[in-house]
Amino acid sequence: MKAMISDLLYSREFRNSMAGALTRKLIRATAPRMNYSVDFQVDMLAVERPHYAWCMLNAARLGKALGHDRISAIEFGVAGGNGLAYMCDFAEEVKKVTGVTVECYGFDTGAGMPEPEGAYDLPYWFAAKQYIMDKPALQARVPQAKLVIGDIRETIAGFLDEYKPAPIGVMFNDTDYHSSTRESFRIFDAVAEKPEHFLPRIFMYFDDVLGSELEMYGEHNGQLRAIAELNAGQEAIRIHRNQNLIHQDYLPYRHQIYYGHLFEHPDYNRYIGEGRQEAIEGLLKLKT
């Protein structure tokens, strides 16, 4: 019976149905009193930021498969700090489930958004001094977080040397502007020289690729333009939208999860299919 219920809850048809939506509401309401697994709560959207949780869990598992007991998660564009605070809180759950420690970093000017550089920064929607951080309050809330304060054009260059982060496996990008997103990608300039600070594949979330009729995000402005420019400018790194979540209609974040492939990373070709591939192969064996 338990297996049947699990199969039902995880079926695409049920999860995309009205009954599935009502069930997720029930799970969220009862989660504080029930001993649901972390994975189950994430899958059922019963956590505050399921997109952050999903990326962190999977990055930790990738890191573990590659022999790491620590990884790093970065948020570009911290603003008030709710995202970074959630990262730090959920890192404790990740450690319980995977045994992997997640170091949490937050990049921000500390003084709100800089002046937009031009039309690609969507100045009709964003303006300087928006989203100012209360740094003392945030640092008091999450003393374990490492805040990298300043203009990202200046802070990104020396980040690896100064902080020596565990391999970066997650990037949450909420920089809003095309220019700021572009500058955040300069962290990849150090992959060839310092691959030990990166996982070979990175889970990425972009906040500003979906929006309203006023924002009008598209491939020719904002974050999507920055992604396209990175991909067109070199061959060692590619960022692309995931192909495993986008059919799951019930996931509100399914079109905002991207993967960064660091093709020239020394661990990129390292095989991690043990167990999963054998299970798939077993299903494909001829039935007699």
Side-chain angles (χ1 to χ4, degrees):
M1 178 63 72
K2 185 176 181 180
M4 291 177 61
I5 294 174
S6 178
D7 288 344
L8 174 64
L9 290 174
Y10 281 96
S11 70
R12 180 185 177 190
E13 294 76 16
F14 180 78
R15 293 204 287 185
N16 289 339
S17 69
M18 180 63 70
L22 293 173
T23 300
R24 287 191 293 275
K25 288 183 179 180
L26 177 62
I27 292 170
R28 285 195 292 270
T30 58
R33 303 187 300 276
M34 303 295 289
N35 191 29
Y36 299 133
S37 73
V38 172
D39 284 280
F40 181 72
Q41 292 183 64
V42 173
D43 288 343
M44 295 298 141
L45 305 177
V47 295
E48 181 183 345
R49 289 178 177 246
H51 48 304
Y52 276 48
W54 189 88
C55 289
M56 291 173 68
L57 271 174
N58 283 288
R61 286 176 171 136
L62 174 58
K64 187 171 184 178
L66 293 168
H68 301 290
D69 60 6
R70 304 181 73 87
I71 67 167
S72 293
I74 295 176
E75 184 178 54
F76 292 107
V78 176
N82 291 318
L84 186 61
Y86 182 81
M87 289 164 59
C88 293
D89 292 344
F90 193 75
E92 298 179 10
E93 300 299 323
V94 173
K95 180 68 177 291
K96 292 176 187 175
V97 173
T98 68
V100 175
T101 298
V102 182
E103 301 174 0
C104 297
Y105 295 87
F107 280 76
D108 199 275
T109 67
M113 295 175 66
E115 291 286 346
E117 283 191 2
Y120 300 152
D121 281 354
L122 292 81
Y124 58 83
W125 183 249
F126 295 116
K129 305 302 181 183
Q130 290 175 333
Y131 309 120
I132 294 175
M133 174 193 294
D134 185 341
K135 183 181 176 182
L138 178 58
Q139 198 70 82
R141 166 67 175 81
V142 284
Q144 68 273 46
K146 298 176 179 65
L147 292 175
V148 185
I149 301 298
D151 190 319
I152 195 170
R153 294 170 179 80
E154 302 169 0
T155 59
I156 200 76
F159 171 67
L160 298 183
D161 288 332
E162 180 176 353
Y163 291 89
K164 297 177 172 54
I168 299 163
V170 187
M171 294 182 184
F172 302 111
N173 204 308
D174 192 7
T175 52
D176 302 324
Y177 289 159
H178 158 264
S179 59
S180 299
T181 304
R182 179 195 65 214
E183 293 301 315
S184 74
F185 291 159
R186 287 178 52 220
I187 197 168
F188 294 127
D189 293 348
V191 172
E193 181 183 351
K194 300 174 181 177
E196 68 274 15
H197 293 301
F198 300 87
L199 293 185
R201 290 170 297 282
I202 296 177
F203 291 82
M204 308 182 76
Y205 169 83
F206 290 92
D207 189 69
D208 302 295
V209 296
L210 295 179
S212 71
E213 72 283 359
L214 295 179
E215 292 155 283
M216 298 180 73
Y217 299 132
E219 62 189 47
H220 301 297
N221 63 21
Q223 294 194 309
L224 288 172
R225 185 181 184 93
I227 294 170
E229 289 174 347
L230 176 76
N231 289 338
Q234 43 74 55
E235 296 183 353
I237 297 166
R238 288 289 189 272
I239 297 175
H240 68 87
R241 192 172 64 178
N242 82 87
Q243 294 297 310
N244 58 299
L245 299 176
I246 54 177
H247 67 290
Q248 299 289 359
D249 298 342
Y250 77 101
L251 292 175
Y253 57 83
R254 64 191 182 279
H255 292 292
Q256 294 168 277
I257 302 295
Y258 284 65
Y259 298 144
H261 288 257
L262 282 54
F263 291 119
E264 296 181 3
H265 191 287
D267 283 338
Y268 188 85
N269 294 336
R270 184 172 170 183
Y271 183 70
I272 58 169
E274 296 91 348
R276 293 287 289 271
Q277 282 288 9
E278 287 77 5
I280 295 171
E281 186 177 8
L283 293 173
L284 296 176
K285 286 182 178 179
L286 180 66
K287 296 180 175 60
T288 58

